[in-house]
C-alpha cells in the first residue's frame, strides 16, 4: 500500500494556502472527506475569493471532492465559482463519467456553452461526453456532439476521434465507426485498438479479428497491451487459428506489461485451454513479471481444471506474501482451485478463514462436498448459509441438487426442488431439471424420471436426455433408454458419447447384433469416440495421457509399472470388466484395451515419479469407466496411496480401496 497516497498530509494550525493545497491534493478516498471539508473551510476563512490563484484552488477542491466520492460538494464548488472556465467543467464531468453518472455528465456538458466562450467544450470535454453517450446508448446526442466537433475543427484530434469511433460502435452503428476510422489521415495504435474494441463490443468478432490482422500486416504501428485488452471480448469461444494468431501477436510484442499477460491468460482460460494457461503463467514467472490479483484469479481456475496442485499452492503463497487478502474474488478462486485439485481439506480451510462470504463462496464449498458424494455435509452447509441470512440463488440450488443426486438423497432433493418456486420464487431452469432427472435416474426411478421429463414446462435439451440415458445404462432399462437415445440422436446426431451409452445398454442385454449396428452407424456417419485423456502434475509440468499412449519419454517404464500393478491386483481377484469396451474395439482386444486406459497410465506414471505416500491427482476429460474405478481402488490399497480421480461428473477420492462415491456413481 502506498502510504503517501492513502493518508493526507498533516496541517499545522497556522497553515497557509500552500499547506492547505498540499493537504487537498493528498485527499483521494472517501475516508479523507472530513479533511477536505476542513481544508475548504480554512480556505474560505482565509478569503479564498480574493486569492490570485482562486481558480486553481477551486479546481483542486472539485478534484478532491470528486476523489472522495462527494460529487454534490464538487458541484457546489463549481456553482459558487464566478471565474469558472471549461477546466472546472472538465474536472467534474470526468468525475461523473468515472462514477457512471452518465446522464448527469451529459446534463453538465449541455450547460457549458451557454455560460460563455471560456466555458466552451474543448478536446478534453468532447471525449468525456462521447464516452457517456456510448455508455448510456445516447446515439442521437452522440450524433449532435459529433456534428459540433466537426464545426469546431476538432475532428482531427486523435483522442476525440477515438472516442467518436467507440461511441458509434457501442451505440449500434459499427459501420459508421469504421467509416470514421478509415477516413482518419493518421492512425496510431490507439486508433486501431478503438476500432477493434468497437467491433468486439458490437459482437462483430470476425471483423474485430480482421482489423487486428490488418494492423499486424502493416507492421507499424505495432500492437500493444491495449490491443490485447481490446480483442479480449471476441475470444470467448474463439477458433483455434485465431487463438494461435493472438499468441503470435503476444509473443511478437516488444513490451509486454501485466495487461497483455492477463489478456493472453484470459484467452486461454475462456477457451478451456487450461494446460496452455498454466504453461503461460509459469513462463510469466520465469520472465520475472510480477502477477497482480487479476492474473492470479485468472490462472487459479486453470490450475484446478488440470489438477496443477503444486502450482496452485505456490500461487496461494504469492497471495499471502503480497497480502492480497481479504479479497473475496481471490479467496473464492483459491477455494475452487483446491476443491478441483481434490484437496477438500485445503478448500475448507480457505472457506473457514474468509472474513466475509457471499453466495458464490457458499455455493463453491457446497459443490466441493457434493461432487465427492458427501451429500449430508453439503446439505448442512446449505442450511448454514440460509441461517446466516443469505438466500440461495439459482446456482446454489444446482449445487445442492447435484449433491443430493451424487449421494442418492432422493426425498431431500425433491423437497429442495419444490422449495425453489414455492419458497424462493426461483423459476427452475434447465440445469435444475437435469439435476432432478439425474437424481431420479441414479436412484433407479427410471419411469418416474421419464414422466418428469415429459411433464417439463420447458423443452428438454441434450443434457436432460443424456442424464436419463446414463441412468438407463446403469439400471439396464432398454425401453426408456431407446426413447432417450432417439431424442438425443435428433438433437445432437454427431455426439459420440450417446452412441457409446446406447451400445453399452445393448451389450448389457446381450444384444450383440445391435451393438454392431450402433458401431456401423457411427462409422457410416464418421463419428469417432472422443479419446479419453488424463492430466497429472509432476513438478512444474502437466502431463497428458491418452488411451494406449506411447508418446511419453518414460513409456517403457510406465508400461512395465502398469503390468506389475495389474498382476498384483489380479491376485486380489481383479478381472477386467470388458463390457464398456464392446462398442469401440474388437472382441479379441477387449482386455488389452482396458489395461491401457489413460487413467491407468497416469497412475503408473505418478507412482514411478513420486515418493511413497504422495497423493495421486488425476483429471479426466471423460467419465471414468467402471473397470478403471475398480482397478484404482485396488491399486490404492496395494500402494498405500490416496488416488483423487476427477472425471467430468464428479470426484472419486479413494483411500485404502474405499471410494468417497460409495460406488454410487
Amino acid at each position: 500500500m502506498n502510504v503517501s497516497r492513502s493518508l493526507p498530509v498533516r496541517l499545522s494550525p497556522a497553515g497557509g494556502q500552500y499547506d492547505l493545497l498540499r493537504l487537498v491534493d493528498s485527499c483521494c478516498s472517501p475516508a479523507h472527506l472530513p479533511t477536505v471539508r476542513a481544508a475548504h473551510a480554512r480556505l474560505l476563512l482565509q478569503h479564498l475569493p480574493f486569492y490570485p490563484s482562486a481558480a486553481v484552488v477551486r479546481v483542486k477542491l472539485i478534484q478532491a471532492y470528486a476523489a472522495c466520492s462527494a460529487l454534490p460538494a464538487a458541484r457546489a464548488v463549481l456553482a459558487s465559482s464566478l471565474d469558472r472556465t471549461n477546466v472546472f467543467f472538465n474536472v467534474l464531468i470526468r468525475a461523473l463519467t468515472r462514477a457512471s453518472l452518465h446522464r448527469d455528465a451529459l446534463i453538465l456538458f449541455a450547460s457549458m456553452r451557454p455560460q460563455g466562450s471560456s466555458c466552451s467544450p474543448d478536446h478534453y470535454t468532447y471525449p468525456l461526453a462521447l464516452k457517456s453517450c456510448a455508455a448510456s446508448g445516447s446515439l442521437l446526442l452522440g450524433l449532435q456532439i459529433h456534428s459540433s466537433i466537426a464545426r469546431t475543427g476538432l475532428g482531427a484530434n486523435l483522442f476525440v476521434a477515438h472516442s467518436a469511433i467507440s461511441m458509434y460502435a457501442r451505440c449500434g452503428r459499427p459501420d459508421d465507426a469504421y467509416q470514421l476510422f478509415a477516413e482518419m489521415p493518421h492512425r496510431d495504435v490507439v486508433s486501431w485498438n478503438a476500432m477493434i474494441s468497437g467491433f468486439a463490443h458490437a459482437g462483430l468478432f470476425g471483423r474485430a479479428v480482421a482489423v487486428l490482422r490488418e494492423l499486424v500486416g502493416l507492421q507499424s504501428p505495432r500492437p500493444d497491451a491495449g490491443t490485447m485488452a481490446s480483442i479480449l471480448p471476441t475470444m470467448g469461444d474463439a477458433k483455434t487459428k485465431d487463438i494461435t494468431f493472438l499468441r503470435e501477436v503476444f509473443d511478437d510484442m516488444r513490451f509486454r506489461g501485466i495487461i497483455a499477460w492477463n489478456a493472453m491468460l484470459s484467452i486461454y482460460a475462456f477457451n478451456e485451454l487450461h494446460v496452455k494457461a498454466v504453461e503461460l503463467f509459469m513462463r510469466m514467472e520465469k520472465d520475472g513479471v510480477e502477477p497482480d490479483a487479476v492474473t492470479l484469479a485468472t490462472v487459479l481456475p486453470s490450475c484446478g481444471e488440470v489438477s496443477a496442485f503444486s502450482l496452485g499452492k505456490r500461487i496461494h503463497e504469492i497471495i499471502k506474501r503480497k497480502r492480497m487478502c481479504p479479497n473475496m474474488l481471490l479467496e473464492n478462486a483459491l477455494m475452487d482451485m483446491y476443491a478441483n485439485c481434490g484437496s477438500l481439506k485445503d478448500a475448507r480451510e480457505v472457506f473457514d478463514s474468509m472474513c466475509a462470504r457471499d453466495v458464490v463462496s457458499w455455493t463453491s464449498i457446497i459443490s466441493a462436498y457434493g461432487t465427492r458424494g458427501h451429500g449430508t455435509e453439503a446439505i448442512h452447509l446449505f442450511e448454514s448459509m440460509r441461517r446466516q441470512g443469505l438466500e440461495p440463488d439459482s446456482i446454489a440450488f444446482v449445487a445442492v441438487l447435484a449433491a443430493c443426486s451424487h449421494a442418492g438423497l432422493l426425498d431431500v432433493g425433491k423437497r429442495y426442488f419444490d422449495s425453489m418456486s414455492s419458497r424462493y420464487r426461483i423459476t427452475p431452469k434447465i440445469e435444475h431439471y437435469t439435476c432432478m432427472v439425474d437424481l431420479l435416474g441414479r436412484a433407479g426411478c427410471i419411469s418416474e424420471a421419464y414422466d418428469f421429463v415429459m411433464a417439463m414446462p420447458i423443452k428438454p435439451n441434450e443434457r436432460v436426455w443424456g442424464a436419463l440415458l446414463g441412468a438407463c445404462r446403469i439400471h439396464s432399462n432398454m425401453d426408456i433408454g431407446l426413447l432417450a437415445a432417439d431424442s438425443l440422436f435428433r438433437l445432437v446426431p454427431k455426439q459420440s458419447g450417446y452412441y457409446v451409452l446406447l451400445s453399452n445398454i445393448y451389450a448389457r442385454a446381450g444384444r450383440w447384433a445391435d451393438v454392431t449396428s450402433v458401431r456401423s452407424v457411427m462409422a457410416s456417419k464418421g463419428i469417432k469416440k472422443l479419446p479419453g485423456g488424463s492430466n497429472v502434475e509432476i513438478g512444474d509440468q502437466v502431463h497428458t495421457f491418452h488411451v494406449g499412449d506411447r508418446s511419453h519419454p518414460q513409456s517403457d517404464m510406465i508400461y512395465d509399472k502398469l503390468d506389475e500393478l495389474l498382476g498384483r491386483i489380479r491376485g486380489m481377484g481383479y478381472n477386467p470388466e470388458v463390457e464398456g469396451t464392446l462398442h469401440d474395439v474388437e472382441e479379441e482386444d477387449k482386455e488389452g484395451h482396458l489395461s491401457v486406459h489413460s487413467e491407468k497410465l497416469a497412475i503408473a506414471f505418478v507412482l514411478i515419479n513420486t515418493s511413497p505416500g504422495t497423493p495421486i491427482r488425476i483429471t479426466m476429460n471423460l467419465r471414468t469407466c467402471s473397470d478403471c474405478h475398480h482397478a484404482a481402488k485396488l491399486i490404492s490399497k496395494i500402494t498405500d496411496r490416496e488416488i483423487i480421480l476427477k472425471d467430468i461428473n464428479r470426484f472419486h477420492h479413494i483411500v485404502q480401496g474405499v471410494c468417497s462415491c460409495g460406488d454410487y456413481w
Side-chain angles (χ1 to χ4, degrees):
M1 184 171 63
N2 188 331
V3 177
S4 64
R5 292 295 295 155
S6 63
L7 296 173
V9 296
R10 299 296 297 269
L11 177 65
S12 65
Q17 182 188 7
Y18 176 74
D19 290 333
L20 287 167
L21 292 184
R22 283 183 61 228
L23 181 62
V24 169
D25 276 340
S26 69
C27 296
C28 57
S29 75
H32 302 153
L33 181 57
T35 304
V36 179
R37 293 193 185 280
H40 190 181
R42 183 81 65 86
L43 285 164
L44 289 173
L45 288 173
Q46 293 184 7
H47 306 292
L48 169 63
F50 302 105
Y51 280 145
S53 57
V56 174
V57 175
R58 289 192 177 94
V59 167
K60 288 184 177 293
L61 282 168
I62 293 172
Q63 287 175 321
Y65 277 127
C68 294
S69 301
L71 293 173
R75 286 193 185 96
V77 174
L78 174 62
S80 67
S81 303
L82 301 176
D83 52 352
R84 51 182 173 258
T85 65
N86 54 16
V87 176
F88 286 72
F89 288 89
N90 291 347
V91 169
L92 186 51
I93 290 172
R94 180 181 296 278
L96 292 167
T97 303
R98 284 180 174 171
S100 297
L101 298 171
H102 300 295
R103 183 175 179 276
D104 292 342
L106 291 171
I107 290 172
L108 185 58
F109 167 79
S111 72
M112 292 177 66
R113 198 177 294 278
Q115 301 194 41
S117 58
S118 65
C119 294
S120 295
D122 61 9
H123 60 292
Y124 291 109
T125 324
Y126 283 120
L128 294 169
L130 288 169
K131 182 178 180 180
S132 283
C133 289
S136 58
S138 304
L139 175 62
L140 182 59
L141 183 54
L143 289 168
Q144 293 172 348
I145 292 172
H146 194 206
S147 177
S148 297
I149 290 168
R151 288 196 300 272
T152 59
L154 288 173
N157 180 280
L158 283 177
F159 192 28
V160 174
H162 300 157
S163 300
I165 289 169
S166 295
M167 183 277 295
Y168 279 118
R170 297 194 181 211
C171 288
R173 300 279 283 268
D175 290 330
D176 289 335
Y178 189 74
Q179 181 179 344
L180 181 60
F181 170 75
E183 292 173 352
M184 292 176 68
H186 170 70
R187 291 179 292 201
D188 63 5
V189 69
V190 181
S191 313
W192 289 89
N193 294 349
M195 193 64 252
I196 292 167
S197 177
F199 278 144
H201 283 280
L204 301 172
F205 302 152
R207 294 185 70 178
V209 175
V211 171
L212 176 56
R213 288 184 182 275
E214 185 182 351
L215 168 61
V216 172
L218 291 174
Q219 297 187 335
S220 179
R222 294 169 69 94
D224 63 2
T227 314
M228 297 295 294
S230 297
I231 199 70
L232 185 57
T234 74
M235 292 289 115
D237 188 18
K239 298 176 182 176
T240 302
K241 64 176 184 179
D242 290 335
I243 297 172
T244 302
F245 167 63
L246 259 293
R247 180 57 187 265
E248 291 169 356
V249 172
F250 174 81
D251 287 340
D252 196 46
M253 289 172 61
R254 290 175 181 168
F255 305 105
R256 288 190 292 268
I258 192 68
I259 292 174
W261 285 96
N262 288 349
M264 196 67 235
L265 281 168
S266 296
I267 289 167
Y268 281 144
F270 288 166
N271 290 279
E272 299 185 3
L273 298 171
H274 301 296
V275 172
K276 288 188 177 295
V278 166
E279 291 173 347
L280 183 65
F281 178 78
M282 288 191 289
R283 178 183 160 186
M284 183 179 176
E285 283 189 310
K286 186 177 179 181
D287 288 356
V289 181
E290 276 292 314
D292 62 8
V294 174
T295 315
L296 303 181
T298 302
V299 77
L300 277 168
S302 291
C303 293
E305 289 296 332
V306 299
S307 292
F309 181 71
S310 298
L311 177 58
K313 291 281 281 187
R314 193 160 76 244
I315 290 173
H316 195 177
E317 291 304 314
I318 293 171
I319 291 169
K320 290 177 182 176
R321 172 169 57 82
K322 288 176 168 282
R323 297 183 179 180
M324 291 180 168
C325 290
N327 180 318
M328 200 177 295
L329 178 66
L330 270 180
E331 289 165 315
N332 286 343
L334 271 173
M335 184 168 33
D336 270 346
M337 179 276 295
Y338 280 128
N340 282 327
C341 285
S343 182
L344 184 58
K345 174 178 176 289
D346 286 309
R348 185 58 187 261
E349 285 178 1
V350 173
F351 177 79
D352 289 340
S353 70
M354 293 175 70
C355 298
R357 306 182 188 104
D358 59 5
V359 175
V360 175
S361 314
W362 285 94
T363 301
S364 294
I365 199 67
I366 290 166
S367 180
Y369 277 93
T371 54
R372 284 158 180 79
H374 303 318
T376 302
E377 291 88 342
I379 288 166
H380 286 162
L381 285 162
F382 186 84
E383 293 302 324
S384 294
M385 175 181 69
R386 290 180 53 222
R387 284 194 296 271
Q388 294 193 19
L390 283 174
E391 284 212 350
D393 61 8
S394 176
I395 301 172
F397 271 107
V398 171
V400 76
L401 288 173
C404 292
S405 177
H406 288 309
L409 301 173
L410 182 60
D411 293 337
V412 178
K414 286 180 176 180
R415 286 200 300 272
Y416 278 131
F417 182 80
D418 291 340
S419 73
M420 286 179 63
S421 52
S422 64
R423 180 170 182 173
Y424 296 100
R425 302 184 184 278
I426 297 174
T427 301
K429 298 179 182 178
I430 197 73
E431 296 85 358
H432 305 102
Y433 287 108
T434 302
C435 286
M436 285 303 296
V437 172
D438 194 53
L439 173 65
L440 291 164
R442 285 177 189 274
C445 305
I446 305 295
S447 296
E448 187 178 350
Y450 178 73
D451 292 341
F452 182 87
V453 172
M454 300 308 294
M456 283 171 53
I458 54 179
K459 187 176 180 180
N461 66 0
E462 66 163 296
R463 297 197 66 184
V464 172
W465 288 114
L468 183 59
L469 181 61
C472 291
R473 182 194 67 82
I474 294 169
H475 296 286
S476 301
N477 189 312
M478 183 171 298
D479 293 338
I480 292 178
L482 290 173
L483 293 172
D486 182 60
S487 296
L488 282 165
F489 297 154
R490 280 187 273 113
L491 285 170
V492 280
K494 292 198 172 183
Q495 173 60 264
S496 64
Y498 301 128
Y499 289 90
V500 171
L501 284 175
L502 179 60
S503 174
N504 288 342
I505 291 173
Y506 282 136
R508 283 197 170 190
R511 292 173 55 166
W512 313 119
D514 289 317
V515 171
T516 302
S517 176
V518 171
R519 290 177 58 190
S520 298
V521 170
M522 292 178 70
S524 66
K525 293 184 176 182
I527 300 169
K528 294 183 179 180
K529 182 191 173 191
L530 180 67
S534 295
N535 292 317
V536 291
E537 180 198 37
I538 297 290
D540 277 345
Q541 187 176 355
V542 175
H543 300 258
T544 301
F545 295 91
H546 297 285
V547 60
D549 197 344
R550 287 191 177 270
S551 62
H552 197 277
Q554 292 183 309
S555 280
D556 290 344
M557 295 173 64
I558 292 169
Y559 277 83
D560 287 345
K561 185 67 175 179
L562 187 54
D563 287 343
E564 174 205 326
L565 293 170
L566 293 176
R568 291 176 66 186
I569 63 176
R570 280 193 180 96
M572 300 170 67
Y574 165 74
N575 286 308
E577 299 177 23
V578 299
E579 176 190 284
T581 65
L582 287 169
H583 63 277
D584 61 357
V585 296
E586 299 303 327
E587 182 71 19
E588 64 271 14
D589 194 37
K590 293 181 294 188
E591 183 174 334
H593 185 270
L594 279 172
S595 69
V596 293
H597 274 191
S598 65
E599 54 266 59
K600 290 191 180 80
L601 295 173
I603 290 170
F605 170 71
V606 176
L607 284 169
I608 63 177
N609 284 282
T610 57
S611 57
T614 304
I616 299 172
R617 304 176 192 278
I618 301 171
T619 298
M620 294 185 62
N621 66 334
L622 297 175
R623 190 171 186 262
T624 189
C625 72
S626 57
D627 179 76
C628 286
H629 186 260
H630 183 205
K633 290 197 299 180
L634 295 174
I635 291 171
S636 81
K637 195 167 186 176
I638 63 173
T639 61
D640 195 24
R641 296 280 193 116
E642 286 183 55
I643 298 178
I644 301 105
L645 181 64
K646 180 177 73 170
D647 66 19
I648 58 167
N649 281 351
R650 63 175 303 151
F651 272 90
H652 300 274
H653 193 154
I654 304 169
V655 180
Q656 286 294 316
V658 178
C659 183
S660 61
C661 73
D663 294 333
Y664 185 85
W665 60 284

